[in-house]
Amino acid sequence: MTDSADLPSPPRIGEAAPDFEAETTQGMLRLEDFRGSWLVLFSHPADFTPVCATELIAFAGVRGRLRELGCELLGLSVDSIFSHIAWVRSLETKFAVSVDFPLVADTTGTMARRYGMVMPAESPTEPARVVCVIDDRQIVRAYMAYPMTTGRNVHEIVRLVAALRATDAHGVATPAGWKPGEPVLVPPPRTQAMAAERAGLAGASCPDWYFCKKEMP
Ligand code: BEZ
């Protein structure tokens, strides 16, 4: 049985994304192929299972919105390429959904382990539901893990990418539940002098020295 101690450490926010070269339903793909785009890399436990089916359908539904944000999608499981092809065809036939993003056939589980997608105490072989958001410079910007029995909310993943892009474009932070178009937060001051300056801005949008909201520029 795989032990956590035998696994590479999972990707960490701010570090370079682990390199890969993988067989996918759209041919061989490398991490480098995504340079210049953002990438949502997500794992799922297995093809032809119900929660995973709902997730693939949901990801297909937000693919256009992710593209508008300059972000590609890449799914992964340890199933074979033939299983992936059959499952995508079945989703098309039975659910009228076109899964037009690639799925990695990580049959050795190497990429899943490298990306911290294997949770041995839950399953030693089937990956958990991990999402790794990688930016256009191939830096890991966010990482989340859900158990096998809980389907993810893909709208939260789109929101996360939009929030990260707003942060990069405007040097702002985003509040809980933020959606594009809503006011953003000024990152907190880190010196006494900056705190004093902010205290001087007291008003509805700056109720205290550490908390200033503003409209998105
Ligand atoms: C599912 O996708 O339904 C599923 C897969 C593995 C374990 C539990 C549920």
Side-chain angles (χ1 to χ4, degrees):
M1 152 127 185
T2 316
D3 199 83
S4 298
D6 303 329
L7 293 171
S9 51
R12 295 188 201 282
I13 291 173
E15 294 183 355
D19 199 16
F20 63 80
E21 182 174 16
E23 184 179 28
T24 83
T25 46
Q26 296 183 6
M28 293 302 291
L29 286 174
R30 299 168 306 146
L31 175 64
E32 188 59 29
D33 295 326
F34 295 95
R35 187 177 288 281
S37 293
W38 285 60
L39 175 64
V40 166
L41 168 64
F42 70 95
S43 57
H44 65 270
D47 294 353
F48 294 103
T49 53
V51 178
C52 297
T54 61
E55 286 194 329
L56 245 71
I57 293 166
F59 276 119
V62 294
R63 212 243 169 154
R65 176 70 189 119
L66 283 171
R67 276 245 162 118
E68 285 169 14
L69 291 167
C71 185
E72 295 297 328
L73 256 180
L74 180 61
L76 175 152
S77 79
V78 296
D79 296 280
S80 73
I81 200 73
F82 306 110
S83 169
H84 280 343
I85 291 169
W87 191 34
V88 166
R89 290 174 65 86
S90 150
L91 292 170
E92 240 172 65
T93 315
K94 305 290 181 191
F95 297 92
V97 167
S98 162
V99 176
D100 58 354
F101 53 86
L103 297 178
V104 173
D106 183 30
T107 49
T108 62
T110 308
M111 187 169 161
R113 285 191 293 276
R114 192 65 202 86
Y115 269 87
M117 293 162 167
V118 178
M119 311 281 172
E122 188 185 37
S123 168
T125 51
E126 295 161 332
R129 299 182 193 282
V130 166
V131 176
C132 186
V133 180
I134 300 169
D135 73 13
D136 49 354
R137 296 164 306 133
Q138 315 219 294
I139 301 294
V140 173
R141 298 295 298 274
Y143 180 88
M144 60 192 242
Y146 271 47
M148 295 201 294
T149 48
T150 308
R152 289 158 285 199
N153 184 334
V154 296
H155 302 291
E156 171 58 12
I157 296 163
V158 173
R159 193 190 78 86
L160 172 60
V161 173
L164 287 164
R165 300 233 51 179
T167 292
D168 283 8
H170 305 292
V172 296
T174 51
W178 176 85
K179 294 197 201 70
E182 292 180 356
V184 290
L185 292 165
V186 184
R190 292 188 175 270
T191 62
Q192 289 279 75
M194 285 169 72
E197 192 185 313
R198 296 272 180 89
L201 301 174
S205 60
C206 271
D208 207 348
W209 61 269
Y210 67 92
F211 191 103
C212 288
K213 271 192 169 181
K214 64 176 189 181
E215 294 303 320
M216 187 114 112

